[in-house]
Amino acid sequence: MRKKLEDLNDPYSIELRWLQLTVKRKEEDGVKVVTVENLKNPYEKQGNFNSRFKLTLNKLYAWSLVAYDRVVMLDSDNIFLQRTDELFQCGQFCAVFINPCIFHTGLFVLQPSMDVFKDMLHELVIGRENPDGADQGFLASYFPDLLDQPMFHPPVNGTKLDGTYRLPLGYQMDASYYYLSLRWRIPCGPNSVITFPSAPWLKPWYWWSWPVLPLGLSWHEQRRNTIGYGSEVPVILIQSVMYIGIMALTRLARPSLSKLCYNRRPEKSFAFVHSMLKVAATWSILAAYTVPFFLIPRTVHPLVGWSLYMLGASALASVVINAFLLPALPVLTPWLGILGALFVMASPWYSNGVVRALAVFAYAFCCAPFVWTSLMKVMASVQVLLEREAFFPRLVESTQPPEFNKLY
């Protein structure tokens, strides 16, 4: 029977949804949730310690699940391409070497044992060597001879093996192998499980990781078929309506230039305000392209996330255009550039990852002059408006008769 423990190596939002799913399906699928106390990490003082791995030693609790004969421990960033029931035939400990010398703990098989669990806790107390301060370093130190063990081949009669084994690479296919050739070429073992040991902010559940990393859609397809996106739909709808409303209101509220009173004689007292207005226009454009990014729920489907981002950026850009009376095309040039970049990265016709990377670089190189030119046009437009004093009607317009003003 498969067992899912809380894996704190991944974002809390993903784990919360998983727990919600397990509670929902408790009666339906017989899923059981085990609550444990956090193990204190004794390696926090190490110079190379990464704080995001502080609680990953909780994985050791898997050895305490003595009600089960075998446990397959999984990280949340795994995608299963096919059934892997044969893993429950492996021995006391089995893991994959995606690194030539250190096995990966994103997926491993174990036989629960209270003796082993207590011994591991003792090793934590006495300070067993741990190169990275996380679960992977501890387990690599605890099972130092796994590299010398035989490769796992499941018996055809379904019996369980004893001892420790190396799992074939196909059970933990590093997504990096795919990105180099845009196809799988794993020579040993079945292509069963994909793992994503990438930068935390490019994990596949984040909407912005696709199309930067093409396999993100595969992850979200699995999510769509399991826990779905019900918790994020209301936020998406609210933001969509808000952005559409902003675009409509800013368009209706666009000031009429013909009704503004211009002072064609620039006042020295306005010099500082002029400079500040240029800065405000620049930062407003930057905010229009950054604020929507942080408002979107991080784990929505990439197609929904990018669509909502483009809608939000265009809505806030329209506010800037109308508030500062700027030409629309230069302000929206970055918007068009981002849209083009998404199409370039998502194109399915690249022969390999190198060609794809070169295409993205060439696109960015060609777009840079257009973005720079659009920025210069925006600054020029702001300067023209300032020279015409469109934003500063004559604040001290004399109310005296013309004959009185002639004295001055």
Side-chain angles (χ1 to χ4, degrees):
M1 181 177 180
R2 296 181 189 273
K3 187 67 189 175
K4 170 69 183 178
L5 283 181
E6 183 177 4
D7 176 15
L8 295 174
N9 188 27
D10 300 304
Y12 292 107
S13 59
I14 296 295
E15 295 301 334
L16 178 59
R17 291 190 185 91
W18 180 270
L19 291 175
Q20 290 172 341
L21 176 67
T22 56
V23 172
K24 179 181 178 180
R25 295 187 174 180
K26 182 176 180 180
E27 297 296 332
E28 179 182 343
D29 297 333
V31 174
K32 297 181 180 179
V33 179
V34 176
T35 302
V36 298
E37 294 184 5
N38 294 327
L39 289 177
K40 179 176 174 54
N41 194 317
Y43 306 103
E44 294 183 64
K45 305 298 183 181
Q46 289 186 180
N48 65 337
F49 183 75
N50 191 322
S51 59
R52 71 188 181 95
F53 297 132
K54 178 179 178 179
L55 299 177
T56 55
L57 290 177
N58 285 349
K59 285 185 179 182
L60 302 185
Y61 277 109
W63 272 269
S64 69
L65 301 175
V66 293
Y68 306 104
D69 187 60
R70 292 290 189 276
V71 170
V72 178
M73 189 68 191
L74 308 171
D75 277 356
S76 295
D77 57 350
N78 282 311
I79 297 179
F80 282 74
L81 303 181
Q82 61 185 34
R83 296 174 64 92
T84 57
D85 293 347
E86 68 276 6
L87 287 175
F88 293 96
Q89 299 176 241
C90 204
Q92 279 67 47
F93 184 75
C94 309
V96 180
F97 283 83
I98 64 174
N99 178 297
C101 302
I102 302 175
F103 59 81
H104 187 56
T105 56
L107 179 150
F108 57 88
V109 184
L110 62 106
Q111 182 178 21
S113 167
M114 286 304 299
D115 291 336
V116 174
F117 177 62
K118 292 177 181 178
D119 186 61
M120 287 180 169
L121 296 184
H122 175 70
E123 292 295 328
L124 289 179
V125 173
I126 65 176
R128 171 182 281 273
E129 181 183 3
N130 188 339
D132 59 11
D135 62 292
Q136 184 161 296
F138 178 84
L139 292 176
S141 175
Y142 196 86
F143 299 98
D145 60 346
L146 188 64
L147 185 61
D148 301 323
Q149 301 307 309
M151 185 72 71
F152 167 67
H153 296 287
V156 293
N157 60 0
T159 59
K160 294 181 175 63
L161 300 174
D162 291 322
T164 56
Y165 292 87
R166 290 179 291 122
L167 292 176
L169 189 60
Y171 289 109
Q172 275 289 267
M173 297 184 293
D174 189 336
S176 302
Y177 298 145
Y178 179 88
Y179 300 139
L180 289 175
S181 59
L182 299 182
R183 61 182 60 86
W184 288 115
R185 292 178 180 175
I186 306 298
C188 57
N191 294 356
S192 301
V193 187
I194 307 171
T195 187
F196 296 83
S198 57
W201 49 276
L202 279 179
K203 290 294 187 179
W205 46 76
Y206 294 133
W207 62 266
W208 59 80
S209 68
W210 181 90
V212 180
L213 302 180
L215 288 174
L217 283 183
S218 300
W219 168 269
H220 280 275
E221 181 62 21
Q222 295 286 350
R223 178 184 170 177
R224 187 183 65 82
N225 293 328
T226 53
I227 64 176
Y229 299 89
S231 61
E232 291 151 339
V233 169
V235 179
I236 294 171
L237 293 177
I238 291 172
Q239 288 193 28
S240 300
V241 172
M242 179 185 69
Y243 290 140
I244 294 174
I246 288 174
M247 296 176 70
L249 289 175
T250 52
R251 182 61 183 174
L252 294 174
R254 182 179 176 89
S256 175
L257 290 176
S258 61
K259 296 181 180 180
L260 290 177
C261 179
Y262 301 110
N263 177 11
R264 298 181 181 273
R265 296 177 298 172
E267 302 288 345
K268 293 182 179 180
S269 60
F270 285 137
F272 175 74
V273 181
H274 290 182
S275 300
M276 292 302 297
L277 191 60
K278 290 182 181 180
V279 173
T282 303
W283 279 99
S284 297
I285 294 174
L286 182 62
Y289 288 99
T290 55
V291 170
F293 182 89
F294 294 102
L295 296 180
I296 300 171
R298 295 183 299 172
T299 56
V300 300
H301 193 282
L303 296 179
V304 175
W306 279 112
S307 299
L308 191 57
Y309 170 77
M310 300 305 290
L311 177 62
S314 61
L316 297 186
S318 69
V319 174
V320 178
I321 292 170
N322 291 291
F324 293 93
L325 306 178
L326 300 175
L329 184 58
V331 176
L332 292 176
T333 296
W335 189 92
L336 297 172
I338 294 172
L339 184 63
L342 294 177
F343 280 108
V344 171
M345 287 188 288
S347 174
W349 296 293
Y350 297 116
S351 58
N352 56 62
V354 176
V355 174
R356 179 177 182 268
L358 291 175
V360 173
F361 175 79
Y363 176 82
F365 181 81
C366 294
C367 282
F370 293 97
V371 175
W372 177 257
T373 301
S374 67
L375 178 61
M376 294 298 100
K377 288 183 177 180
V378 168
M379 292 296 99
S381 298
V382 173
Q383 183 61 37
V384 169
L385 290 175
L386 291 174
E387 290 175 355
R388 295 170 59 187
E389 296 282 345
F391 287 89
F392 301 103
R394 302 183 68 173
L395 301 178
V396 194
E397 190 72 34
S398 176
T399 58
Q400 302 295 330
E403 294 78 11
F404 180 84
N405 289 336
K406 289 181 180 178
L407 299 176
Y408 298 93

